[in-house]
């Protein structure tokens, strides 16, 4: 058993990093030294220096500012997508597990159908069908992502639905609503919260990946994945164009995975894994 | 404090489970009645249907056939909100203390649940009451903010009892409520139950497999064997007046502190037959030393042999 204090410290560090990145993303305008779209024709492909902390790109735009503004797009979309799919998925999955029967069968067959396709390929297909752009990207990721949460929450609900304490709750006069909110949700939420936190990281990767392929954000909007895609043409002459967005994606994914891990350890009331 | 008013009446209650094309009788034509303030003990081997019986009376498991009346009201068929409101009349304490608590619900919240659901009291009122309830079952008030895994089995069982009585039920069912506890604690819990049941004049069904314990708690005892009640008699006279061979077998297998290890225990011979393979006739016939031809052909009915004593055995009811 890990000591509780150590876990709290780990949690504090990763949470602090997550908050810092979020604040940078939310208040990009306050921190960015330049306008992310402003071009400096005299400073094309400049290596990191005092004037441009992370260098400039092929059009002379400040990469540091673009990373900050890009975070706004990447992180906020990752958050939005995760929030939407987890809420939809948990509602559907909990309801299916709780009531069972035809409702359950229909929903689960639907999710089987969606799961039969590899997730990212299906997302790519949907985006190309709906048209590129961020709103469509969110829509496509939502359509393919909710099944995962529906599956997990359904199986969690099934595993606790027949517990004695649910019977006991019924004897104690709890109605369905109370059983859902007072007994089932508190007992399934901790495991789900871990999934949700870690999923933010993987959604970040998906968004970056799709943007890299040109299916996400459209130029000139700064976005980490798209910046990578621009940078790959200058890999040898200006490696900083790849390094900066690559590193922030990497760091963010690690942070959200660590955070999920710590939450898992902390959420267990018995204090052991 | 027994009055002669009938609280619970169970009439010809059956529970069958379909197994392949046949019916498995888990509870087979059980009838008995319970007076207000009385404690009836139900004993029998594992799998004899005592828990199923309890769960049917509590309204958790649907019945297959028969009637259950509480104060003359047939409540089994109630639906929705009406059923939910009726539940306050019958409360149950389960065998495994830990599994009847939600691991993420504090003891205080658990205790006020029933009152909040049925009477809509506020959280503040609930907290006051919880303190009083904890005291009543002999637990410190700090337990309000504890989680179930921080308490011992005996303490949890006290909490479960406290909640069951918090809404003044008319009937309390203890389904092997002491079965998972240490022997030393079993007695404490049993005493607590007896005290509360007497104080509050609640009817009580006390289910167990420990004949000695059940006997010390209850006024009457029903002995069940494979879904049927085979003998129903007063606890005090259990030792002298027990007639049914199965009851005698159970009595013979009680351990006591001074028992001689070398002496052979009169433990029941053989295994109880599978409820699926019950042939016609008395279910106990195979294990019975008295068994006659008639026993193998017909099921002995539960008949009164003297006031307050019923037996289902041809030996005595001829």
């Amino acid at each position: 058993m890990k000591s509780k204090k150590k876990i709290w410290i780990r949690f504090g560090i990763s949470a602090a990093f997550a908050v810092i990145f979020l604040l940078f993303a939310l208040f990009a305008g306050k921190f960015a030294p330049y306008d992310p779209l402003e071009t400096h024709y005299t400073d094309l492909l400049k290596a990191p220096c005092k004037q441009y902390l992370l260098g400039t790109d092929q059009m002379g735009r400040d990469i540091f500012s673009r990373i900050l503004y890009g975070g706004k797009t990447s992180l906020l979309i990752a958050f939005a997508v995760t929030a939407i799919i987890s809420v939809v998925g948990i509602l559907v999955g909990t309801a299916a597990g709780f009531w069972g029967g035809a409702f359950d069968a229909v929903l689960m067959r639907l999710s089987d159908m969606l799961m039969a396709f590899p997730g990212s390929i299906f997302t790519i297909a949907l985006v190309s069908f709906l048209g590129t752009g961020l709103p469509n990207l969110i829509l496509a990721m939502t359509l393919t992502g909710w099944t995962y949460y529906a599956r997990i929450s359904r199986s969690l609900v099934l595993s606790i639905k027949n517990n004695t304490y649910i019977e006991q709750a019924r004897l104690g006069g709890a109605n369905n609503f109370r059983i859902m909110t007072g007994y089932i949700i508190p007992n399934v939420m901790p495991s789900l919260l871990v999934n949700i936190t870690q999923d933010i990281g993987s959604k970040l990767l998906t968004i970056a990946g799709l943007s890299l392929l040109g299916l996400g954000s459209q130029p000139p909007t700064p976005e980490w994945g798209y910046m990578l895609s621009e940078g790959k043409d200058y890999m040898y002459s200006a490696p900083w164009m790849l390094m900066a967005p690559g590193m922030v994606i990497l760091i963010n994914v690690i942070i959200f995975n660590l955070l999920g891990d710590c939450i898992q350890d902390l959420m267990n009331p018995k204090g052991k894994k | 404090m027994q009055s002669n008013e009938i609280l619970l009446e169970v009439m010809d209650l059956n529970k069958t489970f379909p197994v392949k094309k046949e019916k498995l009788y888990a509870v087979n034509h059980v009838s008995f009645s319970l007076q207000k303030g009385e404690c009836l003990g139900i004993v029998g081997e594992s799998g004899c249907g005592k828990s199923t019986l309890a769960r049917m009376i509590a309204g958790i498991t649907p019945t297959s056939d028969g009637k259950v009346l509480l104060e003359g009201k047939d409540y089994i068929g109630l639906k929705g909100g009406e059923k939910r409101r009726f539940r306050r009349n019958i409360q149950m304490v389960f065998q495994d203390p830990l599994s009847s608590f939600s691991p993420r619900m504090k003891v205080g919240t658990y205790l006020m649940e029933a009152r909040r659901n049925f009477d809509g009291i506020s959280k503040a009122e609930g907290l006051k009451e919880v303190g009083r309830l904890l005291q009543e079952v002999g637990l410190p008030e700090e337990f309000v903010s504890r989680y179930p895994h921080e308490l011992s089995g005996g303490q949890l069982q006290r909490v479960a009892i406290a909640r069951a009585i918090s809404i003044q039920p008319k009937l309390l069912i203890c389904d092997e409520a002491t079965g998972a506890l240490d022997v030393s604690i079993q007695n404490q819990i049993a005493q607590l139950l007896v005290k509360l049941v007497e104080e509050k004049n609640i009817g009580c069904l006390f289910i167990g497999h420990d004949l000695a314990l059940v006997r010390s708690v209850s006024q009457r005892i029903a002995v069940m064997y494979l879904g049927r009640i085979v003998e129903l008699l007063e606890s005090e006279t259990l030792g002298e007046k027990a007639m049914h061979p199965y009851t005698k077998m159970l009595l013979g297998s009680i351990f006591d502190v001074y028992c001689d290890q070398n002496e052979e225990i009169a433990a029941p011979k053989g295994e109880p037959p599978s409820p699926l393979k019950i042939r016609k006739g008395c279910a106990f016939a195979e294990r019975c030393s008295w068994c006659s031809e008639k026993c193998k052909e017909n099921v002995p009915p539960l008949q009164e042999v003297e006031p307050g004593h019923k037996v289902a055995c041809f030996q005595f009811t001829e």
Side-chain angles (χ1 to χ4, degrees):
Chain A
M1 180 186 153
K2 291 178 213 153
S3 84
K4 202 114 197 174
K5 207 174 152 198
K6 264 189 190 163
I7 301 172
W8 272 112
I9 293 172
R10 275 206 304 150
F11 175 75
I13 294 172
S14 40
F17 269 105
V19 169
I20 289 171
F21 271 101
L22 269 181
L23 286 179
F24 270 133
L26 279 174
F27 302 105
K30 291 237 160 44
F31 297 105
Y34 299 96
D35 185 306
L37 303 179
E38 186 189 343
T39 50
H40 307 265
Y41 285 110
T42 46
D43 299 321
L44 300 181
L45 296 174
K46 273 230 162 190
C49 59
K50 261 188 192 156
Q51 201 187 349
Y52 305 107
L53 279 176
L54 296 172
T56 61
D57 63 7
Q58 83 282 10
M59 290 163 85
R61 296 174 294 196
D62 178 41
I63 293 181
F64 181 62
S65 307
R66 285 179 70 74
I67 292 278
L68 290 181
Y69 276 97
K72 201 169 194 164
T73 328
S74 303
L75 274 179
L76 295 188
I77 291 179
F79 266 85
V81 169
T82 314
I84 297 171
I85 60 173
S86 56
V87 169
V88 172
I90 291 170
L91 282 180
V92 169
T94 317
F98 192 68
W99 278 290
F103 181 62
D104 181 33
V106 170
L107 282 172
M108 284 305 121
R109 290 303 78 75
L110 187 66
S111 98
D112 279 347
M113 268 160 56
L114 288 172
M115 280 184 143
F117 298 98
S120 44
I121 293 181
F122 194 36
T123 315
I124 293 173
L126 271 174
V127 173
S128 24
F129 175 69
L130 293 165
T132 49
L134 292 177
N136 288 340
L137 179 69
I138 295 179
L139 185 61
M141 288 178 71
T142 309
L143 284 174
T144 52
W146 67 272
T147 51
Y148 172 68
Y149 288 95
R151 280 275 166 196
I152 302 181
S153 49
R154 174 175 177 271
S155 64
L156 285 172
V157 169
L158 284 182
S159 73
I160 64 166
K161 188 173 83 166
N162 293 323
N163 258 315
T164 321
Y165 63 80
I166 302 287
E167 269 169 17
Q168 181 82 293
R170 284 201 188 281
L171 281 178
N175 51 19
N176 281 340
F177 179 74
R178 177 71 191 138
I179 287 185
M180 280 277 212
T181 56
Y183 295 83
I184 292 186
I185 303 267
N187 280 299
V188 299
M189 229 25 223
S191 339
L192 285 172
L193 202 61
V194 179
N195 282 311
I196 292 171
T197 322
Q198 293 184 337
D199 210 23
I200 293 174
S202 77
K203 288 291 170 283
L204 202 62
L205 272 180
T206 314
I207 295 165
L210 288 171
S211 296
L212 181 82
L213 294 172
L215 294 169
S217 73
Q218 295 304 299
T221 323
E223 200 278 335
W224 296 342
Y226 184 67
M227 288 169 72
L228 268 181
S229 148
E230 281 180 325
K232 71 178 188 297
D233 299 334
Y234 302 90
M235 196 156 26
Y236 298 107
S237 54
W240 53 89
M241 277 184 73
L242 274 178
M243 289 294 275
M247 283 307 281
V248 280
I249 293 173
L250 178 75
I251 292 171
N252 273 287
V253 172
I254 291 177
I255 285 174
F256 284 106
N257 273 320
L258 272 180
L259 202 59
D261 228 29
C262 296
I263 291 176
Q264 182 163 39
D265 291 343
L266 291 175
M267 274 298 203
N268 194 335
K270 290 174 195 165
K272 58 187 172 205
K273 229 174 168 178
Chain B
M1 252 186 292
Q2 227 166 298
S3 57
N4 288 326
E5 256 176 287
I6 285 183
L7 173 69
L8 178 79
E9 211 167 0
V10 177
M11 292 188 284
D12 235 4
L13 193 60
N14 283 321
K15 177 73 193 178
T16 54
F17 295 104
V19 177
K20 287 166 192 169
K21 278 173 195 162
E22 287 173 64
K23 278 183 181 171
L24 182 157
Y25 276 89
V27 171
N28 200 339
H29 297 91
V30 165
S31 305
F32 64 87
S33 64
L34 184 73
Q35 287 166 349
K36 276 189 182 160
E38 185 194 17
C39 186
L40 174 71
I42 300 179
V43 285
E45 287 165 315
S46 330
C48 71
K50 36 190 208 305
S51 285
T52 312
L53 178 65
R55 294 163 65 89
M56 280 197 287
I57 295 171
I60 300 174
T61 308
T63 60
S64 297
D65 201 5
K67 268 188 179 171
V68 188
L69 309 176
L70 189 83
E71 293 184 319
K73 185 175 161 68
D74 186 353
Y75 60 89
I76 295 296
L78 293 181
K79 291 247 167 0
E82 218 180 333
K83 180 173 183 178
R84 202 167 61 76
R85 279 187 293 280
F86 192 85
R87 288 208 147 123
R88 73 169 308 151
N89 293 314
I90 301 178
Q91 288 295 303
M92 195 158 166
V93 179
F94 292 90
Q95 175 174 17
D96 180 9
L98 202 52
S99 73
S100 53
F101 285 82
S102 164
R104 284 171 203 282
M105 188 179 268
K106 286 182 178 164
V107 167
T109 320
Y110 171 86
L111 272 173
M112 64 175 101
E113 264 286 284
R115 282 279 278 154
R116 293 196 63 181
N117 287 332
F118 286 120
D119 302 328
I121 62 169
S122 70
K123 224 170 186 167
E125 284 174 273
L127 270 179
K128 264 186 241 161
E129 198 158 306
V130 164
R132 190 180 56 74
L133 279 168
L134 281 172
Q135 233 171 14
E136 203 163 347
V137 293
L139 293 175
E141 280 182 41
E142 306 95 83
F143 277 21
V144 171
S145 50
R146 297 276 179 87
Y147 282 102
H149 65 89
E150 297 173 296
L151 272 62
S152 73
Q155 289 168 335
L156 283 178
Q157 214 57 319
R158 282 169 191 264
V159 175
I161 294 169
R163 170 165 126 179
I165 58 165
S166 72
I167 45 169
Q168 275 104 41
K170 291 176 178 136
L171 175 66
L172 180 66
I173 302 175
C174 305
D175 184 6
E176 304 212 30
T178 59
L181 305 175
D182 275 354
V183 183
S184 54
I185 311 223
Q186 278 188 12
N187 204 27
Q188 287 175 19
I189 298 289
Q191 278 169 0
L192 175 72
L193 272 171
V194 172
K195 190 189 101 184
L196 290 171
V197 164
E198 266 177 22
E199 267 175 25
K200 311 212 179 266
N201 204 21
I202 304 172
C204 177
L205 280 182
F206 191 91
I207 294 166
H209 49 241
D210 183 342
L211 194 56
L213 182 80
V214 174
R215 177 188 182 184
S216 71
V217 171
S218 52
Q219 279 103 47
R220 281 191 306 153
I221 284 192
V223 181
M224 275 185 84
Y225 185 75
L226 280 179
R228 287 175 191 274
I229 292 185
V230 293
E231 186 157 17
L232 187 68
L233 76 170
E234 304 204 339
S235 313
E236 281 178 15
T237 59
L238 182 69
E240 309 93 65
K241 289 196 179 161
M243 287 178 169
H244 197 280
Y246 179 64
T247 316
K248 284 188 182 158
M249 236 183 207
L250 282 182
L251 276 171
S253 60
I254 297 179
F255 283 108
D256 76 55
V257 183
Y258 307 105
C259 74
D260 178 1
Q261 287 297 329
N262 298 320
E263 198 179 315
E264 200 162 322
I265 326 165
K269 278 180 244 91
E271 293 288 313
S274 151
L276 269 178
K277 286 186 199 142
I278 299 178
R279 300 167 310 194
K280 56 187 175 176
C282 178
F284 192 61
E286 281 172 38
R287 296 165 82 185
C288 181
S289 50
W290 189 83
C291 174
S292 70
E293 280 309 305
K294 194 177 177 189
C295 300
K296 288 179 179 164
E297 292 299 315
N298 304 303
V299 177
L302 189 64
Q303 278 180 5
E304 194 154 55
V305 283
E306 57 186 317
H309 187 175
K310 291 179 181 175
V311 181
C313 181
F314 288 124
Q315 210 180 150
F316 311 101
T317 55
E318 299 262 272

